[in-house]
């Protein structure tokens, strides 16, 4: 089947605007993760969804960031009032609960805030 | 905080063997992972170690010593397509991963 997909692949926005990034995980994967990868930095964990449990939001950098996962499948990461430091590649990954050792990553969304 | 260290860059020659080291100081440990990431692409899973010792998978092997907080990824018979960034990551609890900054490997002819 298809892998993890993300849209858009690239997004350029003006400082102060809100953006929504979408992730479509692999069918049947109940765990979904959002990471951020800035230039010269490692992947930074943002948020984790597991089934119907409350999400682990411990990695969100500020209250401008939020995410939801509807119907246990598609997830949307929303960044409000974007700042230039939000510019990064936002990566989504999914995994089966039973095989949480392997996270399958999507191609990412490159966000540029001007 | 959590600290995962790996060299920034390495170079090697086609056909050679290269070892990429990773050291970690973390508040917990529930497995160590290696991912490969080609420029502009998503990371892809390479290996997973949770017990001490060597895990071999084709040309790639990964080693873990939990007492030393140390792992390495060994790549044999290097090919040009192995030029990529190699990411070391530690799972602290649950399923989330904490990543190092990655090692950029350049394989030359």
């Amino acid at each position: 089947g298809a892998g993890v997909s993300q849209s858009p692949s690239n997004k350029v926005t003006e400082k102060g605007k809100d953006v929504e990034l979408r992730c479509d995980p692999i069918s049947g994967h109940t765990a979904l993760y959002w990471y951020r990868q800035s230039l010269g930095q490692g992947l930074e964990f943002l948020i984790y969804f597991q089934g119907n449990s409350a999400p682990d939001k411990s990695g969100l950098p500020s209250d401008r960031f939020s995410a939801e996962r509807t119907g246990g499948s598609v997830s949307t990461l929303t960044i409000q009032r974007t700042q230039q430091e939000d510019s990064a590649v936002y990566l989504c990954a999914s995994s089966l609960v039973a095989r949480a050792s392997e996270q399958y990553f999507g191609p990412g969304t490159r966000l540029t805030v001007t | 905080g959590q600290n995962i260290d790996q060299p920034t860059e390495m170079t090697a020659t086609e056909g050679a063997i290269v070892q990429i080291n990773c050291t970690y100081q973390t508040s917990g440990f529930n497995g160590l992972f290696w991912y490969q990431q080609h420029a502009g692409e998503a990371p892809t899973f390479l290996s997973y170690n949770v017990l001490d010792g060597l895990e071999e998978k084709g040309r790639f092997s990964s080693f873990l010593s939990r007492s030393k907080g140390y792992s390495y990824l060994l790549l044999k018979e290097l090919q040009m397509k192995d030029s990529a960034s190699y990411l070391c990551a530690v799972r602290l609890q649950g399923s989330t991963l904490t990543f190092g900054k990655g090692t950029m490997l350049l394989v030359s002819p």
Side-chain angles (χ1 to χ4, degrees), chain A residues 33 35 37 40-43 45 48 50 56 91 95 100-108 110, chain B residues 33 35 37 40-45 48 57 87 91 93-102:
Chain A
Y33 317 77
Y35 294 89
Q37 189 171 33
Q41 301 297 316
L43 271 73
F45 164 73
Y48 160 58
Q50 173 57 62
D56 177 354
L91 290 159
S95 69
S101 58
E102 292 186 37
Q103 294 183 16
Y104 295 86
F105 282 83
R110 180 174 296 279
Chain B
F33 301 78
Y35 280 81
Q37 186 177 26
E41 297 183 11
T44 55
F45 171 80
Y48 166 61
K57 191 185 293 186
L87 312 178
R91 184 167 66 191
Q93 60 182 23
S95 294
T96 62
L97 299 178
T98 300
F99 283 83
K101 293 185 179 181

Side-chain angles (χ1 to χ4, degrees), chain B residues 23-36:
Chain B
T23 58
Y24 61 91
Q25 298 91 37
T26 58
S27 57
F29 181 84
N30 195 21
L32 187 139
F33 301 78
W34 285 95
Y35 280 81
Q36 180 191 59

Side-chain angles (χ1 to χ4, degrees), chain A residues 14-92:
Chain A
E14 292 180 353
K15 177 182 173 181
K17 295 283 181 68
D18 297 352
V19 295
E20 284 190 352
L21 312 179
R22 176 188 168 108
C23 171
D24 210 332
I26 293 173
S27 177
H29 282 193
T30 59
L32 186 148
Y33 317 77
W34 283 97
Y35 294 89
R36 177 169 70 173
Q37 189 171 33
S38 303
L39 192 63
Q41 301 297 316
L43 271 73
E44 175 189 6
F45 164 73
L46 297 176
I47 187 169
Y48 160 58
F49 296 89
Q50 173 57 62
N52 295 321
S53 303
D56 177 354
K57 304 179 182 180
S58 59
L60 294 179
S62 78
D63 59 7
R64 296 186 296 105
F65 288 71
S66 63
E68 63 178 22
R69 188 179 185 191
T70 54
S73 181
V74 172
S75 176
T76 302
L77 177 70
T78 301
I79 308 173
Q80 295 178 311
R81 305 181 302 282
T82 51
Q83 304 293 314
Q84 288 186 332
E85 61 262 28
D86 299 334
S87 296
V89 176
Y90 289 81
L91 290 159
C92 174

Side-chain angles (χ1 to χ4, degrees), chain B residues 2-77:
Chain B
Q2 319 301 338
N3 200 34
I4 300 175
D5 289 317
Q6 46 182 137
T8 304
E9 291 181 355
M10 297 184 71
T11 58
T13 306
E14 197 174 13
I17 299 173
V18 71
Q19 177 175 311
I20 303 174
N21 295 324
C22 173
T23 58
Y24 61 91
Q25 298 91 37
T26 58
S27 57
F29 181 84
N30 195 21
L32 187 139
F33 301 78
W34 285 95
Y35 280 81
Q36 180 191 59
Q37 186 177 26
H38 285 99
E41 297 183 11
T44 55
F45 171 80
L46 287 178
S47 69
Y48 166 61
N49 296 68
V50 66
L51 300 176
D52 291 351
L54 188 69
E55 294 282 341
E56 296 186 79
K57 191 185 293 186
R59 294 189 299 114
F60 293 5
S61 303
S62 57
F63 172 83
L64 174 67
S65 169
R66 289 172 296 170
S67 62
K68 296 182 179 178
Y70 168 68
S71 173
Y72 67 72
L73 180 70
L74 193 70
L75 292 76
K76 303 176 184 177
E77 301 169 15

